[in-house]
């Protein structure tokens, strides 16, 4: 019973805007951003990075979305840029344009 209560409380307090975040390491961030716009109709952020092994310039494209969006995007990235490296993270909350705004009165 404690476990069930804990899961329900976690969903109520932290999981209302649950989703995923994808971080895509690529040589062409703008190409991936255009793909994100087509697949998910979401904005993304390009971070400047460089490879740790040889110092090559890379782009890291970061995008938050629903699990369905990120799953579709991950598959599309594999086709569009087979050399891209994609990391998908769970997100307990996402706030901002395109996401539901929730408040807890108290």
């Amino acid at each position: 019973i404690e476990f069930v209560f804990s899961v329900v409380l976690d969903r109520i307090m932290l999981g209302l805007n649950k989703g995923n975040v994808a971080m895509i390491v690529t040589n062409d961030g703008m190409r991936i951003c255009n793909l994100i716009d087509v697949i998910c109709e979401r904005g993304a952020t390009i971070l400047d990075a460089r490879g740790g092994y040889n110092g090559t310039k890379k782009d890291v494209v970061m995008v938050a979305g629903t699990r369905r969006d990120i799953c579709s995007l991950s598959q599309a990235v594999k086709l569009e840029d087979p050399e891209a490296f994609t990391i998908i993270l769970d997100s307990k909350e996402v706030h901002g344009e395109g996401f539901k705004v929730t408040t807890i009165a108290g």
Side-chain angles (χ1 to χ4, degrees):
I1 291 178
E2 289 179 26
F3 174 75
V4 173
F5 178 73
S6 174
V7 169
V8 170
L9 186 60
D10 188 48
R11 296 269 184 198
I12 291 171
M13 296 296 291
L14 301 174
L16 294 174
N17 290 330
K18 199 170 186 175
N20 288 121
V21 173
M23 298 184 74
I24 304 156
V25 181
T26 180
N27 291 320
D28 192 350
M30 285 307 299
R31 188 166 108 194
I32 299 300
C33 284
N34 291 333
L35 184 65
I36 290 168
D37 188 41
V38 169
I39 300 292
C40 306
E41 297 181 350
R42 294 194 178 276
T45 300
I46 300 176
L47 307 171
D48 291 328
R50 60 188 167 98
Y53 180 70
N54 60 13
T56 305
K57 182 194 174 307
K58 299 283 184 180
D59 291 331
V60 177
V61 180
M62 183 176 66
V63 60
T66 65
R67 291 174 192 247
R68 181 178 294 154
D69 285 343
I70 299 302
C71 181
S72 298
L73 176 62
S74 177
Q75 293 171 356
V77 167
K78 287 178 190 176
L79 296 173
E80 182 73 22
D81 185 358
E83 295 186 18
F85 183 79
T86 303
I87 303 165
I88 299 173
L89 306 165
D90 285 329
S91 173
K92 288 195 177 202
E93 285 194 59
V94 180
H95 297 279
E97 187 176 342
F99 295 90
K100 292 180 181 176
V101 176
T102 58
T103 58
I104 300 174

